[in-house]
Amino acid sequence: MTAPSDTRHKLLDAAERLMAEQGIAATSLRQIIAEAGVNLAAVHYHFGSKEEMLDALVIRKAGPVNEIRLALLTRFEAEAAPNPAPVEKVLEAFLAPPFLERERSPLFVQVMGRLYAEGLMPSIVAKHFQPTVSRFYAALQAALPHVPAEEMVWRVHFMIGAMAHTMWGPPGQESAPVVVRRIVQFLGAGFRAEVSE
Amino acid sequence: MTAPSDTRHKLLDAAERLMAEQGIAATSLRQIIAEAGVNLAAVHYHFGSKEEMLDALVIRKAGPVNEIRLALLTRFEAEAAPNPAPVEKVLEAFLAPPFLERERSPLFVQVMGRLYAEGLMPSIVAKHFQPTVSRFYAALQAALPHVPAEEMVWRVHFMIGAMAHTMWGPPGQESAPVVVRRIVQFLGAGFRAEVSE
DNA sequence: GTCTATACTGAGATAGAC
DNA sequence: GTCTATCTCAGTATAGAC
């Protein structure tokens, strides 16, 4: 009994490497199958389309990252109990895992950045990240009861933009913890801002 | 003496309309030339490629937006003299013009958002926006002397991310001034954050 | 069930006639 | 300056070998 689909993994590995390097739109299926040493139609057989292969690529590693996020959040909430976790801790739980993953497995996170940069992320978030997003929403609301819900939507939106932009192409080379400290400090102050007018 | 290149303008108008509606990658040259009523080869004659046509599209309207930004900044600096303009005013000068332009001429700013979203913006910024960016850097440094230069680079990066993400797809329908107030408040607090550690 | 060979359609780019 | 015709390469789809 051999691996039921070695081809499948070879395709995902090759796609990850090439797409991280060149971008998603710029990477053709023919490049990917050449790198993987398989036939073009295998893509269609295993995934159905280039887009569905991307979904599989994301699911393969986004799942673990989101689990770490939730575990961290749970821990920080326990540490702060009976108070809600402070906003900086909530942000750290959300931001640290992907930035650390970026160091451990740069290829995948580059692909994620490409997904944002090429406008493909919203549908993937909706498909695979929604539960995580909801949980963090609640934690932010608990940490900042003075921020109205409709303002919170915008602040989360700003956070996602800053995170995505930085994940894709940070302005310098610094270790993940330093980057996380910078972005948590910046966004934490933003989230805490008084809501005026 | 007729217009030296009516075709050129017809192409840009058609491209702007179609790309704003459908996205950039999703809009084919063949759609554009059909809409403009010209021949396919005219695109390559006038612009060289689809990408260079995009550049021309951006240049056509980015210039005015950047001029308004600089004029606003100059005015706010004069109002605050002899002190430097406060960071919220600097941010307003940078952010308000594109968001207002978004309302006046949604097509163009949607195209700009698409450029960010599809990862084409960095090269365009480098080509056409660099002088504006430099001027605002100086204003931010003046407003926030306690923020070290290397931290400022990151904070500007976060700001660009939040702005781009919001320009492309805001989480709700609100008038430009309201959106600008929200984002200025959020980012202003972030920029003012103490630099610790 | 898995995979290969091959064909189809539509994209952007280009050469050369006018 | 503009247009016709053509080229290359993309993603997708099908037929059929194993």
Side-chain angles (χ1 to χ4, degrees):
Chain A
M1 171 183 164
T2 67
S5 186
D6 194 24
T7 299
R8 199 187 144 91
H9 287 97
K10 282 196 285 192
L11 278 170
L12 288 180
D13 290 342
E16 184 172 308
R17 216 181 59 69
L18 290 169
M19 287 177 167
E21 255 176 38
Q22 313 173 341
I24 290 158
T27 300
S28 72
L29 292 181
R30 284 168 176 79
Q31 276 183 293
I32 294 169
I33 58 110
E35 174 93 6
V38 304
N39 185 271
L40 176 58
V43 175
H44 190 256
Y45 175 75
H46 283 288
F47 305 106
S49 68
K50 185 180 182 179
E51 188 182 341
E52 287 170 289
M53 190 172 71
L54 265 182
D55 281 6
L57 201 54
V58 171
I59 295 169
R60 187 165 68 151
K61 287 199 190 164
V65 168
N66 278 340
E67 278 173 31
I68 298 173
R69 280 174 160 157
L70 293 173
L72 266 183
L73 180 57
T74 300
R75 197 181 99 198
F76 291 152
E77 285 176 334
E79 286 174 1
N83 296 316
V87 63
E88 282 80 6
K89 284 304 195 180
V90 178
L91 292 176
E92 185 185 333
F94 189 75
L95 296 167
F99 278 101
L100 290 169
E101 178 69 15
R102 183 190 170 88
E103 283 193 331
R104 284 201 320 116
S105 163
L107 290 186
F108 168 67
V109 183
Q110 274 178 265
V111 174
M112 298 283 287
R114 297 282 191 181
L115 285 169
Y116 265 113
E118 298 183 29
L120 307 171
M121 208 57 189
S123 68
I124 292 194
V125 167
K127 270 188 266 185
H128 310 300
F129 290 5
Q130 206 49 55
T132 304
V133 170
S134 303
R135 177 94 156 70
F136 274 88
Y137 246 101
L140 288 170
Q141 288 285 12
L144 302 165
H146 74 285
V147 177
E150 83 267 15
E151 172 73 19
M152 190 62 85
V153 172
W154 286 86
R155 295 189 175 183
V156 168
H157 192 78
F158 302 148
M159 171 190 73
I160 298 286
M163 178 193 73
H165 194 58
T166 304
M167 199 96 82
W168 168 59
Q173 276 95 36
E174 291 184 350
S175 71
V178 175
V179 175
V180 170
R181 181 175 52 72
R182 290 195 195 276
I183 194 168
V184 165
Q185 225 164 63
F186 181 88
L187 294 175
F191 271 100
R192 285 183 186 278
E194 286 304 315
V195 183
S196 73
E197 187 76 6
Chain B
M1 170 185 164
T2 66
S5 186
D6 193 26
T7 299
R8 199 186 144 91
H9 287 96
K10 282 196 285 193
L11 278 170
L12 288 180
D13 290 342
E16 184 172 313
R17 214 181 60 69
L18 290 169
M19 287 176 168
E21 257 175 36
Q22 313 173 342
I24 291 162
T27 300
S28 70
L29 292 182
R30 283 168 176 81
Q31 276 183 293
I32 295 170
I33 58 111
E35 174 93 5
V38 305
N39 185 271
L40 175 59
V43 174
H44 295 90
Y45 175 75
H46 284 288
F47 304 105
S49 69
K50 184 181 183 179
E51 188 181 344
E52 286 170 289
M53 190 171 73
L54 268 180
D55 281 7
L57 203 53
V58 171
I59 295 169
R60 189 163 70 150
K61 286 202 189 164
V65 168
N66 278 340
E67 278 173 32
I68 298 172
R69 280 174 161 158
L70 293 172
L72 266 183
L73 179 57
T74 300
R75 196 181 100 198
F76 291 152
E77 284 176 333
E79 287 175 1
N83 296 315
V87 63
E88 282 81 6
K89 284 303 195 181
V90 178
L91 292 176
E92 186 184 332
F94 189 76
L95 296 167
F99 279 101
L100 290 168
E101 179 69 16
R102 182 189 168 90
E103 280 195 332
R104 284 202 319 116
S105 161
L107 294 185
F108 166 69
V109 183
Q110 275 178 264
V111 173
M112 298 282 287
R114 296 280 190 180
L115 285 168
Y116 266 114
E118 298 183 24
L120 307 171
M121 209 58 188
S123 68
I124 292 190
V125 166
K127 270 189 266 186
H128 310 300
F129 290 7
Q130 205 49 56
T132 304
V133 170
S134 303
R135 177 95 156 68
F136 274 87
Y137 246 101
L140 288 170
Q141 287 284 12
L144 302 166
H146 74 285
V147 176
E150 84 267 15
E151 171 73 19
M152 190 63 84
V153 172
W154 286 85
R155 294 189 175 183
V156 168
H157 193 78
F158 302 149
M159 171 190 72
I160 298 285
M163 178 194 73
H165 194 59
T166 305
M167 198 95 82
W168 168 60
Q173 276 96 37
E174 290 184 352
S175 71
V178 175
V179 176
V180 170
R181 180 175 54 70
R182 291 194 195 275
I183 193 167
V184 165
Q185 227 164 61
F186 182 87
L187 294 176
F191 271 101
R192 284 182 186 278
E194 286 306 314
V195 182
S196 74
E197 186 77 5

